[in-house]
Amino acid sequence: MRYLMAAIPFFLLACQVTPENSTTIPAIVSVPLEIDGNSKDWDQIPKKFETRNFESPWDDTPFGSTHFQAVADNNWLYFCFEAEDTTLVTKPFTKELDVADGDRVEIFISADTTLTPYYCLELGPTGDILDYKAHFYREFDDSWNLPQLSVRTSMKSQGYTVEGKIPLGFLKKLSNHHVNQPTLSLYLGLYRAEYRKSPNNEVIEQWLTWNDPQISEPDFHIPSTLKQVKIEIAK
């Protein structure tokens, strides 16, 4: 979410994510996944984190389901989004910011709720990536790219799948993880931008999040849209 900017009271901007929002992404020694944009092999994962609890706090227009899955091993955090969408809107890719003009899923990552810094991955249905570093509030560094990030996608008539892996070394460094700790702790935001066109061909945007920030206008770039997550370290 790059272009939408809401006027938000300061006390909401500074709010903290509560412990009740914490969750755990499990780790297994060997993850039988091929990053190819196909979610079928996720059925083979013996334990994983998954959620379908995405909501649209600012727009009650019906939208297709969003399914997120994640698992870790010694080297990677693997993830998979499946989005039901029969009204795909994409823009031909000439630069990274083109991703922000269409349907996409998003992952935000931060060490804590200060969001100084935090890291954003906006991933389009055609495999295009907008990744950037940011500081609260909305100070964007578009020159940043996540080394070794791998993403593959697939599209069909009923929607799209975005599958990828994030290097665990990056997450360990971000969270100041120590060698003997069994988990690493981060704050994670999961989102979806749902675009559709009106009968007169105007683009309509709908914003979906896994954590309702309880604000009047859409904005993902605030602490209350992220949840605390623990990622297990494979043994």
Short mmCIF file of all heavy atoms in Angstrom, two decimals, residues 35 76-77 79 107 109 120-123 127-132 144-152 162-167 170:
data_model
loop_
_atom_site.label_atom_id
_atom_site.label_comp_id
_atom_site.label_asym_id
_atom_site.label_seq_id
_atom_site.Cartn_x
_atom_site.Cartn_y
_atom_site.Cartn_z
N ILE A 35 9.55 -23.89 -5.17
CA ILE A 35 8.96 -22.57 -5.35
C ILE A 35 8.66 -22.39 -6.83
O ILE A 35 9.50 -22.01 -7.65
CB ILE A 35 9.90 -21.47 -4.84
CG1 ILE A 35 10.25 -21.69 -3.37
CG2 ILE A 35 9.25 -20.09 -5.01
CD1 ILE A 35 9.06 -21.79 -2.46
N TRP A 76 15.39 -20.86 5.26
CA TRP A 76 14.37 -20.06 4.59
C TRP A 76 13.07 -19.99 5.40
O TRP A 76 12.74 -20.92 6.13
CB TRP A 76 14.03 -20.66 3.22
CG TRP A 76 15.18 -20.82 2.30
CD1 TRP A 76 15.94 -21.95 2.10
CD2 TRP A 76 15.75 -19.81 1.45
NE1 TRP A 76 16.92 -21.71 1.19
CE2 TRP A 76 16.85 -20.41 0.77
CE3 TRP A 76 15.45 -18.48 1.20
CZ2 TRP A 76 17.62 -19.71 -0.14
CZ3 TRP A 76 16.23 -17.78 0.28
CH2 TRP A 76 17.29 -18.39 -0.37
N LEU A 77 12.36 -18.89 5.20
CA LEU A 77 10.95 -18.80 5.56
C LEU A 77 10.17 -18.90 4.26
O LEU A 77 10.31 -18.05 3.37
CB LEU A 77 10.64 -17.48 6.25
CG LEU A 77 9.15 -17.22 6.50
CD1 LEU A 77 8.59 -18.21 7.52
CD2 LEU A 77 8.90 -15.79 6.96
N PHE A 79 6.57 -19.11 2.10
CA PHE A 79 5.21 -18.59 2.23
C PHE A 79 4.43 -18.84 0.96
O PHE A 79 4.99 -19.01 -0.14
CB PHE A 79 5.22 -17.09 2.56
CG PHE A 79 5.79 -16.22 1.47
CD1 PHE A 79 4.99 -15.73 0.45
CD2 PHE A 79 7.14 -15.89 1.47
CE1 PHE A 79 5.52 -14.93 -0.56
CE2 PHE A 79 7.69 -15.09 0.47
CZ PHE A 79 6.86 -14.60 -0.55
N ILE A 107 3.58 -8.35 2.25
CA ILE A 107 4.16 -8.77 3.52
C ILE A 107 5.00 -7.60 4.04
O ILE A 107 5.87 -7.10 3.34
CB ILE A 107 5.06 -10.00 3.36
CG1 ILE A 107 4.26 -11.20 2.82
CG2 ILE A 107 5.72 -10.36 4.69
CD1 ILE A 107 5.12 -12.42 2.51
N ILE A 109 7.52 -6.55 7.36
CA ILE A 109 8.30 -7.17 8.42
C ILE A 109 9.04 -6.10 9.20
O ILE A 109 9.67 -5.21 8.62
CB ILE A 109 9.33 -8.16 7.83
CG1 ILE A 109 8.67 -9.17 6.89
CG2 ILE A 109 10.08 -8.88 8.95
CD1 ILE A 109 9.66 -9.97 6.06
N CYS A 120 9.10 -4.03 3.27
CA CYS A 120 7.83 -4.26 2.60
C CYS A 120 8.05 -5.04 1.30
O CYS A 120 8.92 -4.68 0.49
CB CYS A 120 7.14 -2.94 2.27
SG CYS A 120 6.97 -1.84 3.70
N LEU A 121 7.24 -6.07 1.12
CA LEU A 121 7.23 -6.85 -0.11
C LEU A 121 5.82 -6.79 -0.68
O LEU A 121 4.87 -7.26 -0.05
CB LEU A 121 7.61 -8.31 0.17
CG LEU A 121 8.86 -8.56 1.01
CD1 LEU A 121 9.02 -10.05 1.28
CD2 LEU A 121 10.09 -8.00 0.32
N GLU A 122 5.66 -6.19 -1.85
CA GLU A 122 4.37 -6.14 -2.53
C GLU A 122 4.51 -6.97 -3.81
O GLU A 122 5.38 -6.69 -4.65
CB GLU A 122 3.98 -4.69 -2.84
CG GLU A 122 3.95 -3.82 -1.57
CD GLU A 122 3.23 -2.50 -1.74
OE1 GLU A 122 2.50 -2.33 -2.76
OE2 GLU A 122 3.38 -1.62 -0.86
N LEU A 123 3.68 -8.01 -3.92
CA LEU A 123 3.90 -9.07 -4.89
C LEU A 123 2.69 -9.22 -5.80
O LEU A 123 1.59 -9.53 -5.35
CB LEU A 123 4.17 -10.38 -4.14
CG LEU A 123 5.21 -10.30 -3.01
CD1 LEU A 123 5.22 -11.56 -2.19
CD2 LEU A 123 6.58 -9.97 -3.57
N GLY A 127 4.11 -12.16 -10.89
CA GLY A 127 5.45 -12.40 -10.39
C GLY A 127 6.30 -11.15 -10.24
O GLY A 127 7.47 -11.25 -9.86
N ASP A 128 5.73 -9.99 -10.51
CA ASP A 128 6.48 -8.74 -10.35
C ASP A 128 6.57 -8.37 -8.87
O ASP A 128 5.65 -8.61 -8.09
CB ASP A 128 5.80 -7.62 -11.14
CG ASP A 128 5.72 -7.93 -12.63
OD1 ASP A 128 6.70 -8.50 -13.15
OD2 ASP A 128 4.70 -7.61 -13.26
N ILE A 129 7.69 -7.75 -8.49
CA ILE A 129 7.99 -7.48 -7.09
C ILE A 129 8.26 -6.00 -6.88
O ILE A 129 9.05 -5.39 -7.60
CB ILE A 129 9.21 -8.29 -6.63
CG1 ILE A 129 8.94 -9.80 -6.74
CG2 ILE A 129 9.61 -7.92 -5.20
CD1 ILE A 129 10.18 -10.65 -6.51
N LEU A 130 7.62 -5.43 -5.88
CA LEU A 130 7.96 -4.12 -5.35
C LEU A 130 8.45 -4.34 -3.92
O LEU A 130 7.65 -4.63 -3.03
CB LEU A 130 6.74 -3.19 -5.37
CG LEU A 130 6.85 -1.88 -4.58
CD1 LEU A 130 8.01 -1.02 -5.08
CD2 LEU A 130 5.53 -1.09 -4.65
N ASP A 131 9.76 -4.26 -3.69
CA ASP A 131 10.30 -4.42 -2.34
C ASP A 131 11.05 -3.16 -1.97
O ASP A 131 11.76 -2.56 -2.78
CB ASP A 131 11.16 -5.68 -2.21
CG ASP A 131 12.26 -5.80 -3.26
OD1 ASP A 131 12.27 -5.00 -4.21
OD2 ASP A 131 13.10 -6.70 -3.13
N TYR A 132 10.87 -2.72 -0.72
CA TYR A 132 11.47 -1.47 -0.29
C TYR A 132 11.61 -1.45 1.22
O TYR A 132 10.95 -2.20 1.95
CB TYR A 132 10.64 -0.26 -0.76
CG TYR A 132 9.18 -0.30 -0.37
CD1 TYR A 132 8.69 0.38 0.74
CD2 TYR A 132 8.26 -1.01 -1.15
CE1 TYR A 132 7.34 0.35 1.07
CE2 TYR A 132 6.91 -1.03 -0.83
CZ TYR A 132 6.46 -0.35 0.29
OH TYR A 132 5.12 -0.39 0.62
N TRP A 144 16.11 -0.13 -2.01
CA TRP A 144 16.40 -1.36 -1.29
C TRP A 144 15.72 -2.55 -1.95
O TRP A 144 14.56 -2.48 -2.36
CB TRP A 144 15.91 -1.26 0.16
CG TRP A 144 16.19 -2.49 0.98
CD1 TRP A 144 17.34 -2.81 1.62
CD2 TRP A 144 15.28 -3.58 1.21
NE1 TRP A 144 17.22 -4.02 2.25
CE2 TRP A 144 15.97 -4.52 2.02
CE3 TRP A 144 13.98 -3.86 0.82
CZ2 TRP A 144 15.38 -5.71 2.45
CZ3 TRP A 144 13.39 -5.04 1.23
CH2 TRP A 144 14.09 -5.95 2.04
N ASN A 145 16.45 -3.63 -2.06
CA ASN A 145 15.90 -4.91 -2.53
C ASN A 145 16.35 -6.01 -1.59
O ASN A 145 17.46 -5.96 -1.05
CB ASN A 145 16.37 -5.22 -3.96
CG ASN A 145 15.83 -4.23 -4.97
OD1 ASN A 145 14.64 -4.20 -5.26
ND2 ASN A 145 16.72 -3.39 -5.50
N LEU A 146 15.49 -7.01 -1.39
CA LEU A 146 15.81 -8.11 -0.50
C LEU A 146 16.65 -9.15 -1.24
O LEU A 146 16.14 -9.85 -2.13
CB LEU A 146 14.54 -8.75 0.05
CG LEU A 146 14.71 -9.98 0.94
CD1 LEU A 146 15.66 -9.69 2.11
CD2 LEU A 146 13.37 -10.47 1.45
N PRO A 147 17.93 -9.28 -0.91
CA PRO A 147 18.76 -10.28 -1.58
C PRO A 147 18.22 -11.69 -1.37
O PRO A 147 17.75 -12.03 -0.28
CB PRO A 147 20.13 -10.11 -0.89
CG PRO A 147 20.11 -8.73 -0.32
CD PRO A 147 18.70 -8.49 0.08
N GLN A 148 18.27 -12.49 -2.39
CA GLN A 148 17.89 -13.91 -2.39
C GLN A 148 16.38 -14.14 -2.27
O GLN A 148 15.96 -15.30 -2.19
CB GLN A 148 18.61 -14.66 -1.26
CG GLN A 148 20.13 -14.69 -1.40
CD GLN A 148 20.77 -15.49 -0.30
OE1 GLN A 148 20.83 -15.07 0.85
NE2 GLN A 148 21.25 -16.67 -0.63
N LEU A 149 15.60 -13.09 -2.26
CA LEU A 149 14.15 -13.29 -2.28
C LEU A 149 13.77 -14.03 -3.56
O LEU A 149 14.19 -13.67 -4.66
CB LEU A 149 13.42 -11.95 -2.24
CG LEU A 149 11.90 -11.98 -2.46
CD1 LEU A 149 11.19 -12.72 -1.33
CD2 LEU A 149 11.35 -10.55 -2.60
N SER A 150 12.98 -15.09 -3.41
CA SER A 150 12.53 -15.88 -4.56
C SER A 150 11.01 -15.91 -4.56
O SER A 150 10.39 -16.25 -3.55
CB SER A 150 13.09 -17.30 -4.48
OG SER A 150 12.62 -18.09 -5.55
N VAL A 151 10.40 -15.55 -5.69
CA VAL A 151 8.94 -15.51 -5.81
C VAL A 151 8.53 -16.09 -7.16
O VAL A 151 9.13 -15.77 -8.19
CB VAL A 151 8.40 -14.07 -5.69
CG1 VAL A 151 6.90 -14.03 -5.96
CG2 VAL A 151 8.69 -13.50 -4.32
N ARG A 152 7.51 -16.96 -7.14
CA ARG A 152 6.91 -17.48 -8.36
C ARG A 152 5.39 -17.39 -8.21
O ARG A 152 4.86 -17.54 -7.10
CB ARG A 152 7.34 -18.92 -8.63
CG ARG A 152 8.82 -19.10 -8.85
CD ARG A 152 9.29 -18.48 -10.16
NE ARG A 152 10.70 -18.73 -10.41
CZ ARG A 152 11.68 -17.96 -9.98
NH1 ARG A 152 11.40 -16.89 -9.23
NH2 ARG A 152 12.95 -18.25 -10.25
N VAL A 162 0.68 -16.79 -5.12
CA VAL A 162 2.01 -16.20 -4.98
C VAL A 162 2.78 -17.03 -3.96
O VAL A 162 2.37 -17.13 -2.80
CB VAL A 162 1.95 -14.73 -4.52
CG1 VAL A 162 3.35 -14.19 -4.28
CG2 VAL A 162 1.20 -13.87 -5.54
N GLU A 163 3.86 -17.64 -4.40
CA GLU A 163 4.66 -18.51 -3.54
C GLU A 163 6.09 -17.98 -3.51
O GLU A 163 6.61 -17.50 -4.51
CB GLU A 163 4.64 -19.94 -4.09
CG GLU A 163 5.31 -20.96 -3.20
CD GLU A 163 5.29 -22.36 -3.81
OE1 GLU A 163 5.33 -22.47 -5.06
OE2 GLU A 163 5.26 -23.33 -3.05
N GLY A 164 6.72 -18.05 -2.34
CA GLY A 164 8.08 -17.55 -2.28
C GLY A 164 8.82 -18.00 -1.05
O GLY A 164 8.31 -18.75 -0.20
N LYS A 165 10.07 -17.56 -0.95
CA LYS A 165 10.88 -17.84 0.22
C LYS A 165 11.77 -16.64 0.52
O LYS A 165 12.29 -15.96 -0.38
CB LYS A 165 11.71 -19.11 0.05
CG LYS A 165 12.69 -19.13 -1.11
CD LYS A 165 13.40 -20.48 -1.17
CE LYS A 165 14.46 -20.51 -2.28
NZ LYS A 165 15.16 -21.81 -2.35
N ILE A 166 11.92 -16.38 1.82
CA ILE A 166 12.70 -15.26 2.34
C ILE A 166 13.90 -15.84 3.09
O ILE A 166 13.73 -16.76 3.91
CB ILE A 166 11.84 -14.40 3.29
CG1 ILE A 166 10.68 -13.76 2.52
CG2 ILE A 166 12.68 -13.33 3.97
CD1 ILE A 166 9.63 -13.13 3.42
N PRO A 167 15.11 -15.34 2.86
CA PRO A 167 16.27 -15.91 3.56
C PRO A 167 16.16 -15.72 5.06
O PRO A 167 15.93 -14.61 5.56
CB PRO A 167 17.46 -15.14 2.97
CG PRO A 167 16.88 -13.91 2.34
CD PRO A 167 15.49 -14.27 1.91
N PHE A 170 18.40 -13.07 6.88
CA PHE A 170 17.91 -11.69 6.94
C PHE A 170 17.01 -11.50 8.15
O PHE A 170 17.13 -10.50 8.88
CB PHE A 170 17.16 -11.36 5.64
CG PHE A 170 16.31 -10.12 5.72
CD1 PHE A 170 16.89 -8.87 5.73
CD2 PHE A 170 14.92 -10.22 5.78
CE1 PHE A 170 16.10 -7.72 5.82
CE2 PHE A 170 14.13 -9.10 5.85
CZ PHE A 170 14.72 -7.84 5.87
#
